[in-house]
Amino acid sequence: MKDRLSQWKEFYMIFVPMLHYLQNKNSFSGNEDGMRYLITPGKRSVPDPDGGEEAKKEEAILTVDLWPEPWTLDKTDPALRRREIFPMTEEGRTAVAQYLNDAYNAEPERWSAHPSILDCEPWTPPAPEPDAEKQH
């Protein structure tokens, strides 16, 4: 027989704000037991089939970044980050919630096994290599 926590987790979905909030250019960030995420509204250029050859149109999108604790997105090694893009529609918002829920449930030990902020250093990009021409 399942315990109460297992039963509750079965029906739990990670919170994603209403579409109206995101359509007003508001980002949303959160975390779930060591999994951090950021939902950012934006636009991208896509081919316009109604506009003829090489025609483009703008499409509203939601970009979802997720990464493990303890650092912010820009201080986390890019190898540990994930990014997905969804349409900015009600169906896209629902897909974002499902994506976050699936990502968390697929690897719960990854998210809960994060180091303490006191026991590790933030990621820093490697120093640029000096150009061979500048050395001469």
Side-chain angles (χ1 to χ4, degrees):
M1 181 163 208
K2 293 182 180 181
D3 65 358
R4 286 185 186 267
L5 181 60
S6 298
Q7 289 174 336
W8 178 78
K9 281 279 191 183
E10 226 174 87
F11 299 103
Y12 177 75
M13 281 294 266
I14 293 173
F15 176 76
V16 174
M18 296 186 66
L19 187 60
H20 180 72
Y21 177 86
L22 298 163
Q23 288 171 327
N24 283 299
K25 301 179 184 176
N26 295 306
S27 294
F28 181 79
S29 63
N31 70 58
E32 187 67 37
D33 192 28
M35 180 184 82
R36 292 188 174 188
Y37 57 94
L38 174 65
I39 304 167
T40 310
K43 295 185 183 223
R44 69 177 170 187
S45 206
V46 294
D48 183 1
D50 298 329
E53 202 171 309
E54 296 187 33
K56 300 274 185 188
K57 66 178 181 178
E58 285 202 335
E59 173 184 71
I61 59 170
L62 297 170
T63 302
V64 180
D65 291 290
L66 61 97
W67 67 98
E69 286 188 347
W71 302 104
T72 62
L73 181 61
D74 63 329
K75 295 295 183 183
T76 300
D77 184 342
L80 301 175
R81 305 180 210 164
R82 295 185 195 163
R83 175 175 277 181
E84 292 291 329
I85 296 175
F86 299 87
M88 192 182 306
T89 61
E90 190 55 44
E91 292 79 17
R93 188 190 79 80
T94 302
V96 167
Q98 188 64 53
Y99 168 71
L100 292 171
N101 200 54
D102 290 348
Y104 176 76
N105 289 322
E107 302 177 281
E109 55 286 334
R110 174 186 184 206
W111 308 118
S112 62
H114 59 84
S116 165
I117 200 166
L118 301 173
D119 297 332
C120 63
E121 295 295 321
W123 175 83
T124 54
E129 294 185 23
D131 291 342
E133 295 174 15
K134 290 183 180 179
Q135 291 179 356
H136 294 275

